[in-house]
């Protein structure tokens, strides 16, 4: 129960102030725990990040996968893949993940993030195979690059409306995967 409260506090801190805001004193204050109690659950900030990745990425990935499963054609699956990820930008789990990704983390935490992104990329490979791509894994990685760029644009509060960014990303993704 306390571990969950600490993770929830970590999500809030990350989404409000980025990685600099994620400190053990701040976690203790948000949860009403003594700072020494926070250390009983997590040995470092990186350990908090790793746990967030382990908990939140699978939920996020399941949402993307469910959206793709509801689509009938390879193009529709790709569109669902892009749209669902970009729809999650406003979710504080996602904001926390973006803040985590932007921060300086140890090798273990960075590897967890890379592995989780690899799982997302693997989801779209099958649709790209169905479209006849000779290098579907490479195409999936480039497609994820479009999604990541759109996420950054939305997160930065770009001049364009988020809806316009999403439509541009979907259009670019679909044109790109069709070759």
């Amino acid at each position: 129960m306390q571990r969950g409260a600490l993770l929830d506090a970590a999500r809030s801190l990350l989404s409000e102030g980025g990685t600099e805001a994620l400190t053990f004193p701040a976690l203790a204050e948000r949860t009403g725990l003594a700072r020494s109690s926070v250390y009983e659950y997590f040995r470092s900030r990186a350990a908090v990040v790793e746990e967030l990745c382990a908990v939140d990425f699978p939920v996020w990935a399941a949402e993307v996968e469910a959206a793709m499963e509801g689509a009938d054609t390879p193009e529709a699956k790709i569109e669902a893949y892009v749209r669902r990820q970009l729809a999650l930008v406003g979710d504080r789990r996602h904001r926390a993940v973006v803040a985590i990704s932007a921060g300086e983390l140890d090798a273990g935490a960075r590897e967890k993030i890379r592995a989780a992104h690899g799982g997302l990329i693997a989801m779209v490979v099958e649709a790209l195979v169905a479209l006849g791509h000779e290098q579907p894994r490479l195409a999936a990685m480039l497609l994820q690059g479009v999604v990541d760029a759109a996420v950054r644009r939305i997160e930065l509060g770009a001049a364009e409306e988020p809806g316009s960014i999403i439509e541009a990303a979907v259009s670019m993704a679909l044109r790109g995967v069709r070759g």
Side-chain angles (χ1 to χ4, degrees):
M1 183 157 147
Q2 305 237 359
R3 185 179 215 87
L6 286 165
L7 291 174
D8 197 44
R11 283 182 200 98
S12 294
L13 289 166
L14 286 165
S15 67
E16 293 164 12
T19 53
E20 299 79 31
L22 180 59
T23 65
F24 279 30
L27 283 171
E29 183 180 326
R30 288 278 173 113
T31 58
L33 296 172
R35 189 182 339 175
S36 59
S37 296
V38 176
Y39 283 99
E40 290 177 27
Y41 291 94
F42 299 104
R43 69 189 186 293
S44 66
R45 208 164 68 146
V48 176
V49 167
E50 288 180 38
E51 181 99 8
L52 281 173
C53 287
V55 171
D56 290 345
F57 261 106
V59 173
W60 185 21
E63 291 179 28
V64 173
E65 187 172 34
M68 290 178 70
E69 286 174 359
D72 297 332
T73 66
E75 289 93 348
K77 288 181 184 305
I78 290 164
E79 181 173 351
Y81 175 84
V82 173
R83 284 191 187 280
R84 189 65 201 136
Q85 285 189 68
L86 296 177
L88 289 168
V89 171
D91 185 300
R92 83 189 171 104
R93 288 171 303 162
H94 183 267
R95 286 195 308 265
V97 168
V98 169
I100 289 166
S101 299
E104 292 183 21
L105 302 172
D106 67 19
R110 279 194 305 273
E111 184 53 38
K112 294 246 186 211
I113 292 170
R114 271 194 293 277
H117 272 287
L120 279 175
I121 290 167
M123 281 187 224
V124 77
V125 168
E126 185 178 324
L128 292 164
V129 168
L131 287 173
H133 276 271
E134 292 179 20
Q135 296 182 314
R137 178 121 177 102
L138 174 60
M141 291 167 56
L142 295 172
L143 174 62
Q144 186 61 44
V146 169
V147 173
D148 293 343
V151 165
R152 283 190 301 279
R153 194 88 184 134
I154 292 168
E155 287 286 333
L156 287 172
E160 304 89 3
E161 290 293 318
S164 296
I165 296 168
I166 291 169
E167 292 308 315
V170 167
S171 177
M172 183 172 283
L174 290 175
R175 285 186 186 131
V177 299
R178 288 183 188 124

